[in-house]
Amino acid sequence: MSVTAIVGAQWGDEGKGRIIDYLAQQADVVIRFQGGDNAGHTVINDYGKHALHLIPSGIFNPKTTNIIGSGCVVNPQALLEEMAALEAANVRLDNLWISNRAQMVMPYHRTLDALEEAARGKDTIGTTKRGMGPAYADKAARSGLRLGDLLQPDWLEGRLDNALRTVNRKIEILGGDPVDGEELYALCMDFRAKLGQRIVDTMPLLRQALTAHQAILLEGQLGVMRDLDWGIYPYVTSSNPTAAFAASGAGLPARTIDRVVGVVKAYSTCVGDGPFPVELHDADGKKLRDIGGEYGATTGRPRRCGWFDGVAIHYAAWLNGMTGLAITKLDVLDQFDTLKICVGYELPDGSIVRDAMPDTPVLNLVKPVYEEWAGWQTSTESCRRWDDLPVAAQAYINRLSELANVKVDYVSVGPERDQMFEV
Ligand code: GDP
Ligand code: IMO
Ligand code: MG
């Protein structure tokens, strides 16, 4: 079959969860390949409405194996809470596995995330305060704890001692209370008892899946504009949501990826700080937020809203090597008489950039160049084929595809599982 990476093409919250839930009905394995419980992937299906944070969005399909990959940072406490919520909704979790190489987010990582944000003064990143930055920093500094460490208590004790030597100094410098090693060790033993049997070396499992030509989906978190290397640094997350990292974070050879689907909203949203050239502060921005229900799935923060950004999609499509687009939330535009699409950024010297992404300090100064498109002013919610869409909606989507230089594979017209179709 095939290996498909599903990645966010904008600033996150594009609707990755719902696309993966739909595609997972035909998939054997779904692997989350980066990020942690900063994610909020909303899925609506027969089990109700769930915002998934760590658990892959294929979990609602009992035959699908779901893996939290080695590229992720996992807060065991958050994972246990998420598992309990799903179990309460009768979702079966026997097919949920965690890579022994995934990093653990410890309670002190959340503490440090909050203290570091406070120390930034006016220059905040607007993080989700889920400990992502500090956990990935510890991974790179080689003082992180991994899920597999829970299975080796003696080794874990040494690793924890080692970590706390620097962690407690950092916390004290930033004005927090030091953490107690014995309490944390006891907490880890509790995690071991509750999660131990799900912590595995995922490599044999994935090798077997590839050999059997199974269908594998790689689930990304966030979007390219928040990528640690290619996003609006420093207003980024601390991992790489782009497809190039998918193989590594999932634990597959890079050349096995056959398809890269970029999930993209029919307009733009962004939550957190940093430049967002298409942001609207007017009635249209409010209308997009109200109709689109644009509030963070993890933090509840109102999302900043704007028109579709054609420069960002061009950049995202090339960088990810997208083979297809999944366009979501088309229905949110149903009530607009006119739509705008940003097709370039005007730089302070008057020149216009269309096919590159200016770096952050320059991006702060650009002005979007818009084209106007006619709206369709009719509901698309019950459309289930390309031909069902109003002609103006088809023209609008074709323009997005042209700007991305990538064909459209899927369109969604509502949040429910069946409110989408293949093009
Ligand atoms: P993710 O993080 O990329 O999975 O996206 P989020 O779940 O954070 O945000 C997407 C939001 O849009 C969720 O509330 C979804 O239920 C909703 N949604 C997804 N697709 C559609 C769609 O086609 N139409 C509408 N109206 N809502 C959608
Ligand atoms: P999903 O997977 C939207 C943003 C935060 C902040 C920046 C860094 O649901 O699309 P972090 O907590 O990762 O250190 O925050 O990234 N951010 C998200 N924005 N959707 C998300 O996840 C996000 N995860 C982090 O707002 O600007
Ligand atoms: Mg989200």
PDB file of all heavy atoms in Angstrom, residues 11-17 38-42 51-53 221-222 265 271 295-298 303, ligand 3:
ATOM      1  N   TRP A  11      -0.447  27.683  10.054  1.00  0.00           N
ATOM      2  CA  TRP A  11       0.018  27.991  11.421  1.00  0.00           C
ATOM      3  C   TRP A  11      -0.546  27.010  12.443  1.00  0.00           C
ATOM      4  O   TRP A  11      -0.626  27.302  13.613  1.00  0.00           O
ATOM      5  CB  TRP A  11      -0.405  29.412  11.801  1.00  0.00           C
ATOM      6  CG  TRP A  11       0.330  30.512  11.113  1.00  0.00           C
ATOM      7  CD1 TRP A  11       1.350  31.262  11.637  1.00  0.00           C
ATOM      8  CD2 TRP A  11       0.105  31.015   9.799  1.00  0.00           C
ATOM      9  NE1 TRP A  11       1.765  32.177  10.708  1.00  0.00           N
ATOM     10  CE2 TRP A  11       1.033  32.050   9.585  1.00  0.00           C
ATOM     11  CE3 TRP A  11      -0.774  30.666   8.772  1.00  0.00           C
ATOM     12  CZ2 TRP A  11       1.092  32.758   8.382  1.00  0.00           C
ATOM     13  CZ3 TRP A  11      -0.705  31.366   7.572  1.00  0.00           C
ATOM     14  CH2 TRP A  11       0.210  32.389   7.400  1.00  0.00           C
ATOM     15  N   GLY A  12      -0.964  25.840  11.997  1.00  0.00           N
ATOM     16  CA  GLY A  12      -1.590  24.873  12.896  1.00  0.00           C
ATOM     17  C   GLY A  12      -3.103  24.956  12.845  1.00  0.00           C
ATOM     18  O   GLY A  12      -3.681  25.871  12.224  1.00  0.00           O
ATOM     19  N   ASP A  13      -3.771  23.953  13.446  1.00  0.00           N
ATOM     20  CA  ASP A  13      -5.239  23.911  13.533  1.00  0.00           C
ATOM     21  C   ASP A  13      -5.924  23.925  12.173  1.00  0.00           C
ATOM     22  O   ASP A  13      -7.018  24.476  12.018  1.00  0.00           O
ATOM     23  CB  ASP A  13      -5.761  25.086  14.388  1.00  0.00           C
ATOM     24  CG  ASP A  13      -5.157  25.067  15.779  1.00  0.00           C
ATOM     25  OD1 ASP A  13      -4.888  23.973  16.291  1.00  0.00           O
ATOM     26  OD2 ASP A  13      -4.943  26.159  16.346  1.00  0.00           O
ATOM     27  N   GLU A  14      -5.293  23.323  11.200  1.00  0.00           N
ATOM     28  CA  GLU A  14      -5.858  23.307   9.844  1.00  0.00           C
ATOM     29  C   GLU A  14      -6.980  22.282   9.704  1.00  0.00           C
ATOM     30  O   GLU A  14      -7.708  22.271   8.705  1.00  0.00           O
ATOM     31  CB  GLU A  14      -4.763  22.975   8.813  1.00  0.00           C
ATOM     32  CG  GLU A  14      -3.610  23.984   8.743  1.00  0.00           C
ATOM     33  CD  GLU A  14      -2.474  23.637   9.701  1.00  0.00           C
ATOM     34  OE1 GLU A  14      -2.663  22.736  10.550  1.00  0.00           O
ATOM     35  OE2 GLU A  14      -1.409  24.277   9.605  1.00  0.00           O
ATOM     36  N   GLY A  15      -7.057  21.358  10.684  1.00  0.00           N
ATOM     37  CA  GLY A  15      -8.043  20.271  10.577  1.00  0.00           C
ATOM     38  C   GLY A  15      -7.364  18.934  10.318  1.00  0.00           C
ATOM     39  O   GLY A  15      -7.976  18.020   9.747  1.00  0.00           O
ATOM     40  N   LYS A  16      -6.125  18.808  10.768  1.00  0.00           N
ATOM     41  CA  LYS A  16      -5.370  17.554  10.551  1.00  0.00           C
ATOM     42  C   LYS A  16      -6.096  16.366  11.180  1.00  0.00           C
ATOM     43  O   LYS A  16      -6.186  15.298  10.593  1.00  0.00           O
ATOM     44  CB  LYS A  16      -3.961  17.671  11.167  1.00  0.00           C
ATOM     45  CG  LYS A  16      -3.114  18.769  10.543  1.00  0.00           C
ATOM     46  CD  LYS A  16      -1.805  18.961  11.269  1.00  0.00           C
ATOM     47  CE  LYS A  16      -1.918  19.586  12.640  1.00  0.00           C
ATOM     48  NZ  LYS A  16      -2.342  20.997  12.661  1.00  0.00           N
ATOM     49  N   GLY A  17      -6.610  16.585  12.417  1.00  0.00           N
ATOM     50  CA  GLY A  17      -7.242  15.496  13.154  1.00  0.00           C
ATOM     51  C   GLY A  17      -8.396  14.894  12.366  1.00  0.00           C
ATOM     52  O   GLY A  17      -8.490  13.679  12.218  1.00  0.00           O
ATOM     53  N   ASN A  38       0.771  19.876  23.329  1.00  0.00           N
ATOM     54  CA  ASN A  38       0.434  21.216  22.830  1.00  0.00           C
ATOM     55  C   ASN A  38      -0.600  21.101  21.706  1.00  0.00           C
ATOM     56  O   ASN A  38      -1.326  22.045  21.424  1.00  0.00           O
ATOM     57  CB  ASN A  38       1.688  21.964  22.340  1.00  0.00           C
ATOM     58  CG  ASN A  38       2.496  21.188  21.315  1.00  0.00           C
ATOM     59  OD1 ASN A  38       2.384  19.970  21.204  1.00  0.00           O
ATOM     60  ND2 ASN A  38       3.341  21.875  20.568  1.00  0.00           N
ATOM     61  N   ALA A  39      -0.654  19.937  21.067  1.00  0.00           N
ATOM     62  CA  ALA A  39      -1.598  19.725  19.961  1.00  0.00           C
ATOM     63  C   ALA A  39      -3.023  19.631  20.482  1.00  0.00           C
ATOM     64  O   ALA A  39      -3.263  19.187  21.603  1.00  0.00           O
ATOM     65  CB  ALA A  39      -1.257  18.435  19.230  1.00  0.00           C
ATOM     66  N   GLY A  40      -3.954  20.030  19.629  1.00  0.00           N
ATOM     67  CA  GLY A  40      -5.372  19.785  19.879  1.00  0.00           C
ATOM     68  C   GLY A  40      -5.961  19.412  18.536  1.00  0.00           C
ATOM     69  O   GLY A  40      -6.170  20.275  17.688  1.00  0.00           O
ATOM     70  N   HIS A  41      -6.142  18.119  18.301  1.00  0.00           N
ATOM     71  CA  HIS A  41      -6.641  17.633  17.008  1.00  0.00           C
ATOM     72  C   HIS A  41      -8.087  17.186  17.206  1.00  0.00           C
ATOM     73  O   HIS A  41      -8.352  16.157  17.823  1.00  0.00           O
ATOM     74  CB  HIS A  41      -5.771  16.472  16.509  1.00  0.00           C
ATOM     75  CG  HIS A  41      -4.373  16.895  16.158  1.00  0.00           C
ATOM     76  ND1 HIS A  41      -3.411  16.034  15.687  1.00  0.00           N
ATOM     77  CD2 HIS A  41      -3.777  18.116  16.205  1.00  0.00           C
ATOM     78  CE1 HIS A  41      -2.300  16.705  15.464  1.00  0.00           C
ATOM     79  NE2 HIS A  41      -2.485  17.969  15.772  1.00  0.00           N
ATOM     80  N   THR A  42      -9.008  17.990  16.690  1.00  0.00           N
ATOM     81  CA  THR A  42     -10.427  17.715  16.934  1.00  0.00           C
ATOM     82  C   THR A  42     -10.957  16.679  15.959  1.00  0.00           C
ATOM     83  O   THR A  42     -10.756  16.798  14.746  1.00  0.00           O
ATOM     84  CB  THR A  42     -11.255  19.011  16.781  1.00  0.00           C
ATOM     85  OG1 THR A  42     -10.583  20.049  17.493  1.00  0.00           O
ATOM     86  CG2 THR A  42     -12.667  18.837  17.309  1.00  0.00           C
ATOM     87  N   ALA A  51     -10.962  16.266  21.446  1.00  0.00           N
ATOM     88  CA  ALA A  51      -9.756  17.011  21.075  1.00  0.00           C
ATOM     89  C   ALA A  51      -8.572  16.148  21.513  1.00  0.00           C
ATOM     90  O   ALA A  51      -8.311  16.006  22.703  1.00  0.00           O
ATOM     91  CB  ALA A  51      -9.731  18.363  21.767  1.00  0.00           C
ATOM     92  N   LEU A  52      -7.909  15.543  20.543  1.00  0.00           N
ATOM     93  CA  LEU A  52      -6.785  14.657  20.866  1.00  0.00           C
ATOM     94  C   LEU A  52      -5.517  15.490  21.030  1.00  0.00           C
ATOM     95  O   LEU A  52      -5.258  16.404  20.246  1.00  0.00           O
ATOM     96  CB  LEU A  52      -6.598  13.634  19.742  1.00  0.00           C
ATOM     97  CG  LEU A  52      -7.810  12.724  19.514  1.00  0.00           C
ATOM     98  CD1 LEU A  52      -7.629  11.911  18.242  1.00  0.00           C
ATOM     99  CD2 LEU A  52      -8.011  11.801  20.711  1.00  0.00           C
ATOM    100  N   HIS A  53      -4.747  15.172  22.035  1.00  0.00           N
ATOM    101  CA  HIS A  53      -3.519  15.925  22.291  1.00  0.00           C
ATOM    102  C   HIS A  53      -2.274  15.105  21.960  1.00  0.00           C
ATOM    103  O   HIS A  53      -1.331  15.600  21.364  1.00  0.00           O
ATOM    104  CB  HIS A  53      -3.500  16.403  23.738  1.00  0.00           C
ATOM    105  CG  HIS A  53      -4.695  17.243  24.079  1.00  0.00           C
ATOM    106  ND1 HIS A  53      -4.887  18.492  23.532  1.00  0.00           N
ATOM    107  CD2 HIS A  53      -5.785  17.010  24.852  1.00  0.00           C
ATOM    108  CE1 HIS A  53      -6.034  18.996  23.980  1.00  0.00           C
ATOM    109  NE2 HIS A  53      -6.598  18.106  24.770  1.00  0.00           N
ATOM    110  N   GLN A 221       1.950  17.468  13.699  1.00  0.00           N
ATOM    111  CA  GLN A 221       1.326  18.388  14.658  1.00  0.00           C
ATOM    112  C   GLN A 221       1.680  19.797  14.211  1.00  0.00           C
ATOM    113  O   GLN A 221       2.722  20.014  13.573  1.00  0.00           O
ATOM    114  CB  GLN A 221       1.880  18.100  16.057  1.00  0.00           C
ATOM    115  CG  GLN A 221       1.225  18.879  17.177  1.00  0.00           C
ATOM    116  CD  GLN A 221       2.041  20.042  17.671  1.00  0.00           C
ATOM    117  OE1 GLN A 221       3.264  20.009  17.582  1.00  0.00           O
ATOM    118  NE2 GLN A 221       1.385  21.056  18.175  1.00  0.00           N
ATOM    119  N   LEU A 222       0.825  20.773  14.503  1.00  0.00           N
ATOM    120  CA  LEU A 222       1.068  22.175  14.134  1.00  0.00           C
ATOM    121  C   LEU A 222       1.246  22.349  12.618  1.00  0.00           C
ATOM    122  O   LEU A 222       0.695  21.577  11.854  1.00  0.00           O
ATOM    123  CB  LEU A 222       2.290  22.716  14.898  1.00  0.00           C
ATOM    124  CG  LEU A 222       2.036  23.829  15.903  1.00  0.00           C
ATOM    125  CD1 LEU A 222       3.303  24.247  16.615  1.00  0.00           C
ATOM    126  CD2 LEU A 222       1.352  25.013  15.315  1.00  0.00           C
ATOM    127  N   LYS A 265      -6.520  25.219   5.677  1.00  0.00           N
ATOM    128  CA  LYS A 265      -7.827  25.856   5.805  1.00  0.00           C
ATOM    129  C   LYS A 265      -8.083  26.744   4.606  1.00  0.00           C
ATOM    130  O   LYS A 265      -7.129  27.317   4.064  1.00  0.00           O
ATOM    131  CB  LYS A 265      -7.828  26.775   7.045  1.00  0.00           C
ATOM    132  CG  LYS A 265      -8.568  26.227   8.221  1.00  0.00           C
ATOM    133  CD  LYS A 265      -8.504  27.171   9.410  1.00  0.00           C
ATOM    134  CE  LYS A 265      -8.387  26.331  10.655  1.00  0.00           C
ATOM    135  NZ  LYS A 265      -8.357  27.101  11.888  1.00  0.00           N
ATOM    136  N   VAL A 271      -2.630  30.958  16.288  1.00  0.00           N
ATOM    137  CA  VAL A 271      -2.794  31.201  17.725  1.00  0.00           C
ATOM    138  C   VAL A 271      -1.396  31.292  18.338  1.00  0.00           C
ATOM    139  O   VAL A 271      -0.519  30.513  17.996  1.00  0.00           O
ATOM    140  CB  VAL A 271      -3.716  30.133  18.383  1.00  0.00           C
ATOM    141  CG1 VAL A 271      -3.180  28.739  18.236  1.00  0.00           C
ATOM    142  CG2 VAL A 271      -4.007  30.448  19.825  1.00  0.00           C
ATOM    143  N   TYR A 295     -11.355  29.060  18.173  1.00  0.00           N
ATOM    144  CA  TYR A 295     -10.800  29.139  19.529  1.00  0.00           C
ATOM    145  C   TYR A 295      -9.949  27.900  19.736  1.00  0.00           C
ATOM    146  O   TYR A 295     -10.338  26.802  19.311  1.00  0.00           O
ATOM    147  CB  TYR A 295     -11.925  29.211  20.572  1.00  0.00           C
ATOM    148  CG  TYR A 295     -12.722  30.485  20.445  1.00  0.00           C
ATOM    149  CD1 TYR A 295     -13.809  30.557  19.585  1.00  0.00           C
ATOM    150  CD2 TYR A 295     -12.333  31.637  21.129  1.00  0.00           C
ATOM    151  CE1 TYR A 295     -14.511  31.737  19.409  1.00  0.00           C
ATOM    152  CE2 TYR A 295     -13.031  32.831  20.965  1.00  0.00           C
ATOM    153  CZ  TYR A 295     -14.109  32.876  20.105  1.00  0.00           C
ATOM    154  OH  TYR A 295     -14.792  34.056  19.925  1.00  0.00           O
ATOM    155  N   GLY A 296      -8.778  28.063  20.361  1.00  0.00           N
ATOM    156  CA  GLY A 296      -7.817  26.955  20.471  1.00  0.00           C
ATOM    157  C   GLY A 296      -8.401  25.700  21.099  1.00  0.00           C
ATOM    158  O   GLY A 296      -9.089  25.778  22.123  1.00  0.00           O
ATOM    159  N   ALA A 297      -8.110  24.542  20.483  1.00  0.00           N
ATOM    160  CA  ALA A 297      -8.623  23.265  20.994  1.00  0.00           C
ATOM    161  C   ALA A 297      -7.903  22.854  22.280  1.00  0.00           C
ATOM    162  O   ALA A 297      -8.413  22.060  23.059  1.00  0.00           O
ATOM    163  CB  ALA A 297      -8.470  22.175  19.933  1.00  0.00           C
ATOM    164  N   THR A 298      -6.702  23.390  22.523  1.00  0.00           N
ATOM    165  CA  THR A 298      -5.947  23.027  23.728  1.00  0.00           C
ATOM    166  C   THR A 298      -6.058  24.104  24.791  1.00  0.00           C
ATOM    167  O   THR A 298      -6.261  23.816  25.962  1.00  0.00           O
ATOM    168  CB  THR A 298      -4.464  22.789  23.356  1.00  0.00           C
ATOM    169  OG1 THR A 298      -4.421  21.643  22.505  1.00  0.00           O
ATOM    170  CG2 THR A 298      -3.603  22.523  24.577  1.00  0.00           C
ATOM    171  N   ARG A 303      -8.410  32.459  18.192  1.00  0.00           N
ATOM    172  CA  ARG A 303      -7.396  32.408  17.136  1.00  0.00           C
ATOM    173  C   ARG A 303      -7.430  33.705  16.328  1.00  0.00           C
ATOM    174  O   ARG A 303      -8.506  34.264  16.089  1.00  0.00           O
ATOM    175  CB  ARG A 303      -7.647  31.212  16.215  1.00  0.00           C
ATOM    176  CG  ARG A 303      -7.453  29.881  16.921  1.00  0.00           C
ATOM    177  CD  ARG A 303      -7.813  28.702  16.009  1.00  0.00           C
ATOM    178  NE  ARG A 303      -7.671  27.429  16.716  1.00  0.00           N
ATOM    179  CZ  ARG A 303      -8.408  26.343  16.452  1.00  0.00           C
ATOM    180  NH1 ARG A 303      -9.317  26.363  15.501  1.00  0.00           N
ATOM    181  NH2 ARG A 303      -8.219  25.244  17.132  1.00  0.00           N
TER     182      ARG A 303
HETATM  183 MG    MG B   3      -5.335  22.040  16.772  1.00  0.00          MG
END
